[in-house]
Amino acid sequence: MSEIMNVEEIFGKNVFTLGKMKERLPKDAFKEVKKVMDQGGELSMETANVVAKAMKDWAVENGATHYTHWFQPLTGITAEKHDAFVTHPDESGKMITEFSGKELIKGEPDASSFPSGGLRATFEARGYTAWDITSPAFLKEAATGAILCIPTAFCSYTGESLDKKTPLLRSMEAVSKQALRIVRLFGNTGATKVTASVGPEQEYFLIDEKYYKQRSDLMFAGRTLFGAPAPKGQEMEDHYFGVIRERVGAYMKDLNEELWKLGVTAKTQHNEVAPAQHELAPIYETANIAVDHNQIVMETMKRVAVKHGMRCLLHEKPYAGVNGSGKHDNWSITTDNGVNLLDPGETPNDNIQFLLVLACIMKAVDVHADLLRQSAADVGNDHRLGANEAPPAIISMFLGEQLEDVVKQLVETGNAESCLEGGKLQTGVSTLPDLVKDATDRNRTSPFAFTGNKFEFRMVGSADSIAGPNTTLNAIVAEAFCEAADILEKADNFEVAVHDLIKEYMTKHQRIIFNGNGYSDEWVVEAEKRGLPNIKSMIEAASTLTSEKAVALFEKFGIYTKAELESREEIIYETYAKTINIEALTMIDMAGKQIIPAVVKYSKVLADTINSVKAAGGDASVQTELLKTVSKKLGAMQKALNKLEKEEAKGRAMTDAKAQAFFYKDTVRTIMEELRTPADELEMIVDKEIWPIPTYGELMFEV
Ligand code: ADP
Ligand code: MG
């Protein structure tokens, strides 16, 4: 047996938790920290110095030599620049490590190379990092040694946000403030804050490092750009929830241990639908911490895989023809006196506060369906949303039988007198208990589903940061709450007013509810009839950020300025063009240097065979046919390759980011397909010994 792992002992070992702060800080300092955490405001420099020293001492005791302001630039991943705790030695040559409050609170990385979408001219390239006191510092153990990571926000000299964290924090404050107005209307005077909670389920693929290193597409683009389907895919449904293979099990065990040490509540693990695809879900937590932790999860998944001779692929679509990876973003809002605003209770029809919240969310999602869809857009996710895979690019809401019935009653009669019971599920076996059936049954095809006491936003891509989706969710719900509160606070008769408002919102926005099969073609037609947007790609969704409606929303609640939105739109075009450019160049390289030469070699083998067979007086007709087919497909490949080289160069030379992005989508990507198709057909024909890259079978089944 291997060493016994004690979860209670290792959990949070590498985190400077509230508990550790309490132990190490003088009472007054701790009180001040706690106050700023709960209510906002700033630490005095004196206290900041005390906290910094305690944090450093703890870090150094645990082997840290450096600290970093850990932040989340608009690349979607995290950034860090390490500084040692080293100071000037004294006269005797002795050095005492130091870390000041100033260094803790504010950093000035020379971070001029991060995308800023024009927000920052280079002459004022300075970016500042500011400590997010609500997310705990942690120690990252890597080959560099232990590094003290301080979660921070990243802003420009003029205060514009250059990261994903700042708008998220702003949106959390907005939804808290507006939700408080709602609960106050219902007599909840005890709550002082409403917190958005998030639980992201992370999907990923594992692959043997040996094969990974033989595929430049995986190394450069994170996905396969060529590859014929393996004889077996996911059709047997034998991988989903299947027994976890030993090698993957060992990986999961290590991954959990690393995550627990970092205070991430890794909870659920299982095999996913596609071969070599898996999932990890933590327990939900406050939105900004969940965002930080999801970044840690993705990073740790990759790091631990390398230790196990594997690689972890977070791309939304590493392989054509099998399931891609997403990230279900579970979201709810709860008051600090313990009321989950999304908890319907036993009889939702009587729960007026819940019905108002639900009506507001229906309105928010309907009015801003375009923004919500945009929030889940990234380059890889274009292969899932609206492509041949679900979830669809159309935003709709699933409520389940019970709530749908309540909404229907409210819309039709203005009253919801009854509610469908969950009922019992009879197992029919006397020794098994009968189970209480959930009244909110599941619909796996809905992009935005109510699941008991939370909404599950299922569109998000596996590689993407969840900061964006949650910022948008908080923002749109804050707006709906605000508009409802504006009306209700002024109402003479609250009972009547709230009743009317719920009915009005639900009636007006019921088109957003869809309980059917979201993957079907009928739904696309039906959604169009209902006037719901169907935005097919990341770059088509980008301009929703700067629509009048979006600017008004985000500026009203101080989440993004117009300039910040414009910069983000610009970055989307840049990111898209750069990503497709890398993919195109990788294809050119693989086709020209690996695949075409291999096919040429195979043609020679065939030609030689034909000659020898003929010379021996045999019948070489099959070989001749084969050679003809191979030559034809080779010709198609060469033609597409030439075309791709030409158009890629054209695309690269373009200077307008938006035009360039659309050129890559409409022209370059089409040619990439033209190059891939004959190559994949050739893979099915050419001798395996000659084929230069590992096959889908090897990539997916030899983990
Ligand atoms: P599944 O959707 O796969 O059935 P679960 O219902 O167990 O999974 O939950 C998935 C995720 O949702 C987990 O991360 C869980 O912690 C999170 N979650 C559960 N309740 C809430 C809530 N009230 N708010 C936000 N997230 C939640
Ligand atoms: Mg789920």
Side-chain angles (χ1 to χ4, degrees):
M1 272 304 280
S2 57
E3 217 178 300
I4 290 171
M5 175 153 67
N6 185 330
V7 184
E8 287 181 13
E9 255 168 42
I10 61 173
F11 189 81
K13 193 171 155 272
N14 289 353
V15 185
F16 195 56
T17 55
L18 208 57
K20 287 184 188 120
M21 281 204 222
K22 195 167 181 185
E23 256 169 46
R24 287 168 179 262
L25 292 178
K27 252 203 183 114
D28 285 350
F30 179 74
K31 243 169 102 186
E32 198 182 322
V33 169
K34 189 80 177 58
K35 190 164 164 231
V36 175
M37 270 182 189
D38 293 341
Q39 296 166 24
E42 273 181 43
L43 283 190
S44 67
M45 199 35 89
E46 198 189 330
T47 306
N49 280 327
V50 175
V51 177
K53 172 145 192 336
M55 199 186 265
K56 185 218 67 182
D57 287 347
W58 167 77
V60 170
E61 278 164 33
N62 285 283
T65 50
H66 293 69
Y67 72 93
T68 182
H69 274 198
W70 186 73
F71 60 104
Q72 304 178 18
L74 297 169
T75 51
I77 51 174
T78 62
E80 52 194 74
K81 177 184 137 205
H82 304 164
D83 276 299
F85 293 118
V86 167
T87 55
H88 254 304
D90 66 14
E91 273 169 25
S92 69
K94 183 173 166 46
M95 201 264 305
I96 294 178
T97 59
E98 244 175 41
F99 183 51
S100 69
K102 201 168 142 251
E103 288 169 306
L104 166 65
I105 289 175
K106 194 174 126 194
E108 247 190 72
D110 173 25
S112 49
S113 293
F114 287 111
S116 77
L119 267 186
R120 230 175 8 161
T122 21
F123 61 85
E124 51 179 47
R126 221 163 266 254
Y128 291 92
T129 48
W131 182 30
D132 172 11
I133 195 171
T134 58
S135 182
F138 59 94
L139 281 184
K140 196 151 90 175
E141 290 169 320
T144 45
I147 309 287
L148 171 67
C149 295
I150 299 155
T152 55
F154 179 46
C155 300
S156 77
Y157 182 69
T158 44
E160 274 137 346
S161 82
L162 296 168
D163 69 347
K164 304 222 170 201
K165 183 81 168 269
T166 313
L168 175 73
L169 293 170
R170 294 171 181 163
S171 76
M172 289 170 68
E173 286 189 8
V175 79
S176 173
K177 194 167 153 200
Q178 301 307 325
L180 270 181
R181 293 175 66 193
I182 298 290
V183 298
R184 291 268 187 278
L185 287 166
F186 289 89
N188 183 341
T189 47
T192 62
K193 185 165 134 178
V194 176
T195 306
S197 301
V198 171
E201 303 162 54
Q202 177 73 48
E203 293 181 333
Y204 62 99
F205 278 87
L206 289 173
I207 174 177
D208 193 304
E209 185 174 63
K210 169 177 83 205
Y211 295 126
Y212 174 86
K213 285 187 169 164
Q214 293 172 51
R215 303 259 333 195
S216 35
D217 48 3
L218 288 177
M219 292 203 296
F220 298 134
R223 74 177 181 107
T224 55
L225 298 165
F226 294 102
K232 182 180 171 189
Q234 63 193 42
E235 60 279 62
M236 302 299 289
E237 288 164 358
D238 52 355
H239 192 256
Y240 189 54
F241 282 13
V243 176
I244 294 166
R245 289 181 306 285
E246 287 292 288
R247 187 179 186 192
V248 175
Y251 166 79
M252 287 178 170
K253 177 170 178 268
D254 255 11
L255 175 61
N256 286 331
E257 184 175 351
E258 290 299 310
L259 291 176
W260 289 333
K261 280 201 280 188
L262 288 163
V264 178
T265 49
K267 169 95 177 154
T268 311
Q269 61 195 25
H270 61 80
N271 286 353
E272 256 301 329
V273 174
Q277 190 187 27
H278 310 279
E279 182 182 298
L280 180 148
I283 297 175
Y284 67 96
E285 38 196 353
T286 308
N288 62 320
I289 299 178
V291 168
D292 287 359
H293 279 176
N294 183 248
Q295 292 289 351
I296 292 178
V297 165
M298 292 195 283
E299 219 176 289
T300 311
M301 279 179 165
K302 290 187 182 168
R303 193 162 48 79
V304 174
V306 174
K307 278 208 268 178
H308 286 255
M310 297 188 286
R311 290 301 164 113
C312 170
L313 305 177
L314 292 174
H315 195 282
E316 285 78 8
K317 195 75 180 172
Y319 307 112
V322 296
N323 206 47
S325 295
K327 186 142 52 189
H328 292 177
D329 186 89
N330 294 272
W331 175 92
S332 68
I333 35 178
T334 309
T335 66
D336 58 351
N337 58 0
V339 183
N340 177 356
L341 299 192
L342 295 182
D343 188 353
E346 290 288 310
T347 48
N349 54 316
D350 292 333
N351 187 343
I352 307 297
Q353 179 179 301
F354 171 76
L355 292 176
L356 177 64
V357 168
L358 181 65
C360 286
I361 296 178
M362 280 172 65
K363 176 180 170 195
V365 174
D366 186 28
V367 171
H368 296 295
D370 56 344
L371 280 180
L372 205 52
R373 190 267 176 256
Q374 188 287 320
S375 77
D378 79 358
V379 190
N381 226 7
D382 272 8
H383 296 280
R384 298 173 67 234
L385 307 181
N388 29 10
E389 191 176 314
I394 307 161
I395 293 275
S396 65
M397 261 168 94
F398 171 79
L399 294 183
E401 227 175 280
Q402 189 187 48
L403 282 189
E404 200 200 357
D405 174 63
V406 171
V407 171
K408 195 164 151 243
Q409 292 182 54
L410 282 167
V411 169
E412 280 170 8
T413 67
N415 283 307
E417 301 289 351
S418 64
C419 102
L420 301 176
E421 298 258 344
K424 281 214 165 151
L425 199 127
Q426 257 128 32
T427 55
V429 178
S430 63
T431 50
L432 290 181
D434 287 335
L435 305 170
V436 180
K437 208 158 61 177
D438 230 340
T440 59
D441 49 337
R442 295 295 174 109
N443 177 328
R444 292 274 156 201
T445 64
S446 176
F448 197 76
F450 184 73
T451 48
N453 60 3
K454 62 188 193 297
F455 273 99
E456 187 168 334
F457 185 29
R458 303 203 180 109
M459 262 190 185
V460 185
S462 50
D464 207 5
S465 160
I466 52 168
N470 289 301
T471 302
T472 301
L473 256 173
N474 293 338
I476 64 176
V477 173
E479 183 190 60
F481 283 168
C482 175
E483 286 166 4
D486 285 347
I487 295 167
L488 295 175
E489 281 166 0
K490 285 198 286 255
D492 294 329
N493 186 332
F494 175 70
E495 306 279 306
V496 174
V498 73
H499 172 275
D500 290 351
L501 197 66
I502 292 171
K503 180 165 188 236
E504 183 197 319
Y505 282 4
M506 287 189 172
T507 308
K508 211 159 150 196
H509 301 288
Q510 57 180 321
R511 67 170 183 172
I512 200 70
I513 307 290
F514 178 64
N515 286 334
N517 179 4
Y519 297 179
S520 67
D521 296 335
E522 293 82 60
W523 170 230
V524 177
V525 178
E526 165 69 19
E528 198 182 334
K529 258 195 244 153
R530 294 189 190 184
L532 299 176
N534 182 2
I535 311 174
K536 298 229 169 63
S537 69
M538 171 189 185
I539 53 175
E540 283 161 288
S543 59
T544 61
L545 281 178
T546 49
S547 72
E548 229 171 90
K549 169 172 81 82
V551 174
L553 161 73
F554 289 122
E555 287 206 323
K556 176 168 181 188
F557 296 98
I559 295 167
Y560 295 111
T561 62
K562 185 159 187 245
E564 287 172 341
L565 289 165
E566 283 166 352
S567 75
R568 275 153 177 85
E569 183 182 348
E570 185 77 5
I571 290 169
I572 290 170
Y573 300 132
E574 283 171 12
T575 307
Y576 186 86
K578 282 182 195 162
T579 307
I580 306 297
N581 182 247
I582 292 170
E583 292 189 349
L585 290 175
T586 306
M587 284 189 92
I588 291 171
D589 197 71
M590 289 174 78
K593 292 192 194 140
Q594 293 186 289
I595 301 177
I596 291 180
V599 179
V600 169
K601 204 159 145 196
Y602 183 59
S603 312
K604 180 167 186 311
V605 173
L606 283 176
D608 290 349
T609 312
I610 293 166
N611 288 338
S612 344
V613 171
K614 276 190 182 158
D619 173 11
S621 58
V622 174
Q623 291 86 333
T624 309
E625 262 323 294
L626 203 54
L627 181 59
K628 263 194 216 155
T629 310
V630 168
S631 301
K632 200 166 143 222
K633 294 192 191 301
L634 182 62
M637 256 194 97
Q638 186 63 52
K639 196 171 143 211
L641 177 60
N642 295 341
K643 208 161 129 193
L644 187 57
E645 277 173 330
K646 206 172 112 212
E647 298 300 318
E648 184 279 324
K650 212 192 266 175
R652 202 150 24 113
M654 292 171 83
T655 47
D656 178 75
K658 184 172 181 180
Q660 187 186 37
F662 276 90
F663 180 78
Y664 273 106
K665 177 173 94 66
D666 296 328
T667 306
V668 176
R669 278 196 50 178
T670 314
I671 309 169
M672 284 164 61
E673 276 311 305
E674 283 170 27
L675 178 58
R676 177 173 182 155
T677 307
D680 290 358
E681 287 164 2
L682 281 163
E683 186 185 336
M684 309 287 275
I685 304 173
V686 172
D687 186 346
K688 179 149 185 355
E689 298 298 313
I690 294 176
W691 196 253
I693 50 176
T695 63
Y696 266 24
E698 288 163 329
L699 301 180
M700 279 187 272
F701 288 91
E702 294 189 24
V703 180

